[in-house]
Amino acid sequence: MIDISFDDGSLLDIHTAALLEKYNLRGTFYIPSTGDLLPEQIKWLDSKGHTIGGHTVTHPECIRDLGKDLQYWEISKNKDTLEKIIGKPITKFCYPKGRYSETTKELVKKCGYKEARTTKVFFLGHSEDSYEQNTTIHIHPKRDEYSGKNWLKLAKEWWNKSKQENKKYYLFGHSWEVEKFNLWEEFEELLKYLK
Ligand SMILES: [Zn+2]
């Protein structure tokens, strides 16, 4: 059981989607309204069987620091925009930079979202609170939590642990980051491993 998601609506998400499809996988793409993807591209992702998720209008640096009205606007306006584009309800949200407060969570619920993803790593399975769904691995070469260990090695170790424990594995990343750190080959190696 695997849940793959990519944040930020980078143009490179089109490449990521094709790579996932090559291994018969589908992902959730969390897209801010100010992301680079055009409406046609968002529709295309949806038509290929990927899930579109909300990620606020402007991807604020720290949404929990904004006033309640502004937070509500960030969350609800983005949801409306994405729903108009794909013509179906958007039920999954991801907190920009993994930052949120109790107020942010309440507003996400109020807007009709069913779940929200964080950016915390080294968790397996459904989180107790579906509005704080943690992840297992971030496709990133040097998260503090990795303590200098190779991300791909960790990703494989955690995949084996998820199979042993029969718990869902949450992989997330940013296509722009995969590009920035030149991780495309390693990412594909992981996809092969997962299959
Ligand atoms: Zn983001």
Side-chain angles (χ1 to χ4, degrees):
M1 289 173 295
I2 179 161
D3 181 290
I4 302 176
S5 55
F6 275 80
D7 310 351
D8 294 356
S10 148
L11 287 175
L12 287 163
D13 282 352
I14 299 299
H15 179 62
T16 297
L19 203 53
L20 293 177
E21 288 159 27
K22 182 174 166 188
Y23 295 93
N24 203 24
L25 292 163
R26 295 296 184 273
T28 299
F29 290 86
Y30 291 104
I31 303 175
S33 310
T34 52
D36 293 331
L37 289 173
L38 300 169
E40 295 73 37
Q41 292 171 312
I42 296 171
K43 264 193 236 174
W44 183 83
L45 287 172
D46 174 65
S47 75
K48 290 287 188 177
H50 300 284
T51 300
I52 303 301
H55 204 35
T56 72
V57 175
T58 69
H59 200 280
E61 185 67 23
C62 193
I63 192 168
R64 64 180 175 225
D65 291 349
L66 303 178
K68 198 171 173 178
D69 289 351
L70 196 48
Q71 289 196 45
Y72 181 74
W73 178 82
E74 284 280 356
I75 299 161
S76 64
K77 176 86 176 157
N78 170 240
K79 189 171 187 283
D80 289 349
T81 303
L82 293 172
E83 287 179 343
K84 275 191 190 118
I85 292 171
I86 64 164
K88 56 174 95 156
I90 303 279
T91 61
K92 297 174 83 175
F93 180 80
C94 172
Y95 302 106
K97 303 208 164 205
R99 292 172 183 155
Y100 58 95
S101 63
E102 282 305 310
T103 303
T104 319
K105 265 173 66 177
E106 268 172 39
L107 293 170
V108 167
K109 276 183 219 178
K110 190 180 162 190
C111 288
Y113 279 111
K114 303 289 178 224
E115 54 188 293
R117 209 209 70 209
T118 73
T119 52
K120 290 189 190 128
V121 292
F122 294 165
F123 290 86
L124 290 172
H126 292 290
S127 296
E128 245 173 73
D129 184 341
S130 53
Y131 293 89
E132 287 184 11
Q133 178 58 56
N134 296 320
T135 79
T136 314
I137 289 287
H138 176 187
I139 305 164
H140 191 287
K142 48 190 177 192
R143 290 247 331 195
D144 288 345
E145 296 89 334
Y146 297 172
S147 310
K149 288 187 193 139
N150 178 269
W151 81 272
L152 181 57
K153 192 165 177 281
L154 285 168
K156 289 177 179 175
E157 282 170 12
W158 278 88
W159 173 243
N160 294 329
K161 194 170 148 74
S162 92
K163 283 197 293 187
Q164 276 161 18
E165 297 181 14
N166 195 29
K167 285 181 182 164
K168 204 169 190 174
Y169 178 92
Y170 291 81
L171 177 71
F172 89 96
H174 305 86
S175 303
W176 61 266
E177 224 165 42
V178 175
E179 174 76 12
K180 179 180 169 188
F181 295 114
N182 198 20
L183 298 175
W184 290 109
E185 275 180 32
E186 290 183 11
F187 173 42
E188 184 159 4
E189 187 184 326
L190 179 62
L191 294 180
K192 270 182 211 161
Y193 192 81
L194 300 177
K195 290 309 279 186

